Amino acid sequence: MDNEAWIIDAVRSPRGKGKKSGSLHEVHPQRILAQVLNGLKARHDFDTADVDDVVMGCGAGSGDHSMDIARMAALDAGWSLDAPGVTLNRFCGSGQQAVNFAAMGVRAGFQNMVVAGGVESMSRPAPMHVDGFTANNNHLREQFEMVPQGISADLIATTEGFTRKDCDELGVDSQNRAAAAIKDGRFDSALIPIYHDDGELALDHDEFPRPGTTLESLGELAPSFAAMGAHTLDGTSRTIDETARLAYPEVSEISHVHHAGNSSGVVDGASAVLVTSPDYARAHGMKPRARVVMTAVAGTEPVIMLTAPGPAAKRCLDNAGMTFDDIDLFEVNEAFAAVVLKFLKDTNVDWNKVNVNGGAMALGHPIGATGGMLIGTILDELERQDKSLGLVTMCTGGGMGTATIIERL
């Protein structure tokens, strides 16, 4: 048996605006994922009874996303009852972690075919604890009084010296790159249209991008997290900003530079990646598009929270015996502009090799689905540019980062 995990294909839904007026809001997230699963099956006509597992990431995990949405979506899709499903949560990196786990299972020889990815309908928000990550656990709060991610992003910008202009320029670049990619049809081959239950088309294109965005138009937007930072925490006399600064006493004041135009968009969507062993693929006439070379996860300080993409990427490369110079293209999830700027500063990677088709600032970030989407995006682009190696990395809540290296076949 060849000790490899092959990516046969990667598909996704369009990203719908994550609000009640968004085109996917009325479609249950189980239904969105089920249609993506069936879109993948239609392309390769595999026997769903052969699927060893359906591994899906989901950030919410409650409300409409509850009850093991991976299994429920596979049942909704009409897949064989033999096809199990499991749902995992590594915050924003959930979908990427699902693909990584799929690759691990296949490379270990424990599984032959796994479908992995994720789903999130952000227009259907799940209930959250007021204090977010510590979930009212006072023992944890005494060790790490974590703050909302927007405050963490602004804290990164403050400690690293990234200005509002730096972040806005990245936001404009993301919009311009996405607009060019959409005009050129670079996403078309991966898209699975989503329909309402009555058969009416819900959405067949990404509806979040704002082509024509300029520095001037972004300059008119007020910072999104300044008021949040000034909010006083219940039971204390401290503001959220002051709480963040307890971990970074060298910071006298947090510079609030992020807003809707240089932060990831709130959207709905789902992704699915078909991972098989070489033996299974050959036996069933499947042609691989890529192989998973290496995966990694890293942890960093959880108050600033979003600084781990660089360390995760480096660990992944070290484990593969590679360097950043070996990689042709990168996808770094644009959770916030400062996250990407920090990655570029940490790694000295050329911006022209990163997010060449835009990122979440333009396209949106459907939390659990994004990792699978990015793996598909970088694979499509490697093929378009006739290049070989791609690396995907994401920041996550709790101070973690995920990374995956794929090689085009």
Side-chain angles (χ1 to χ4, degrees), residues 4 12 21-22 35 47 55 77 113 128 154 269 285 288 295 300 320 357 381 389:
E4 290 188 345
R12 67 174 178 90
S21 59
Q35 292 182 60
D47 186 348
V55 185
M113 180 165 63
M128 294 186 67
D154 285 340
T295 75
T300 55
N357 292 317
E381 189 61 20
L389 287 164

Side-chain angles (χ1 to χ4, degrees), residues 220-236:
E220 297 173 359
L221 299 177
S224 294
F225 307 108
M228 177 188 292
H231 178 74
T232 301
L233 288 171
D234 293 341
T236 77

Side-chain angles (χ1 to χ4, degrees), residues 102-121:
M104 291 177 195
V106 170
R107 284 194 65 173
F110 295 151
Q111 297 168 312
N112 281 307
M113 180 165 63
V114 181
V115 177
V119 61
E120 207 84 35
S121 287

Side-chain angles (χ1 to χ4, degrees), residues 154 157-158 161-172 214-225 255-262 337-338 341:
D154 285 340
T158 303
F162 303 143
T163 66
R164 166 75 179 255
K165 184 171 183 287
D166 294 333
C167 295
D168 284 359
E169 286 176 344
L170 212 66
V172 170
T214 64
L215 278 175
E216 290 72 26
S217 64
L218 292 190
E220 297 173 359
L221 299 177
S224 294
F225 307 108
S255 177
H256 291 288
V257 299
H258 288 95
H259 51 74
N262 59 29
L341 291 170

Side-chain angles (χ1 to χ4, degrees), residues 129-141:
H129 291 279
V130 174
D131 71 340
F133 296 93
T134 54
N136 299 320
N137 177 0
N138 289 330
H139 186 269
L140 177 58
R141 290 176 70 175

Side-chain angles (χ1 to χ4, degrees), residues 42-240:
R43 293 187 181 205
H44 300 281
D45 194 29
F46 52 85
D47 186 348
T48 58
D50 289 347
V51 175
D52 290 304
D53 212 352
V54 176
V55 185
M56 291 290 152
C58 184
S62 59
D64 291 333
H65 299 84
S66 64
M67 307 306 291
D68 189 1
I69 194 168
R71 171 63 170 176
M72 297 305 109
L75 292 174
D76 185 275
W79 283 23
S80 170
L81 300 185
D82 293 338
V86 62
T87 305
L88 63 88
N89 186 337
R90 200 189 287 279
F91 302 109
C92 295
S94 297
Q96 184 175 14
Q97 187 63 66
V99 177
N100 288 355
F101 278 158
M104 291 177 195
V106 170
R107 284 194 65 173
F110 295 151
Q111 297 168 312
N112 281 307
M113 180 165 63
V114 181
V115 177
V119 61
E120 207 84 35
S121 287
M122 298 181 75
S123 66
R124 298 179 177 221
M128 294 186 67
H129 291 279
V130 174
D131 71 340
F133 296 93
T134 54
N136 299 320
N137 177 0
N138 289 330
H139 186 269
L140 177 58
R141 290 176 70 175
E142 289 173 1
Q143 300 173 75
F144 302 103
E145 196 148 12
M146 286 175 265
V147 295
Q149 286 191 344
I151 303 297
S152 295
D154 285 340
L155 182 58
I156 293 172
T158 303
T159 58
E160 298 292 338
F162 303 143
T163 66
R164 166 75 179 255
K165 184 171 183 287
D166 294 333
C167 295
D168 284 359
E169 286 176 344
L170 212 66
V172 170
D173 210 5
S174 184
Q175 291 286 351
N176 290 340
R177 291 179 178 196
I182 291 169
K183 183 178 180 181
D184 198 32
R186 297 178 199 170
F187 301 138
D188 292 354
S189 64
L191 288 177
I192 303 297
I194 302 299
Y195 294 85
H196 294 288
D197 289 346
D198 63 3
E200 180 184 358
L201 178 68
L203 189 63
D204 62 358
H205 64 280
D206 292 318
E207 70 174 347
F208 186 79
R210 296 162 297 234
T213 296
T214 64
L215 278 175
E216 290 72 26
S217 64
L218 292 190
E220 297 173 359
L221 299 177
S224 294
F225 307 108
M228 177 188 292
H231 178 74
T232 301
L233 288 171
D234 293 341
T236 77
S237 60
R238 296 193 312 272
T239 66
I240 294 177

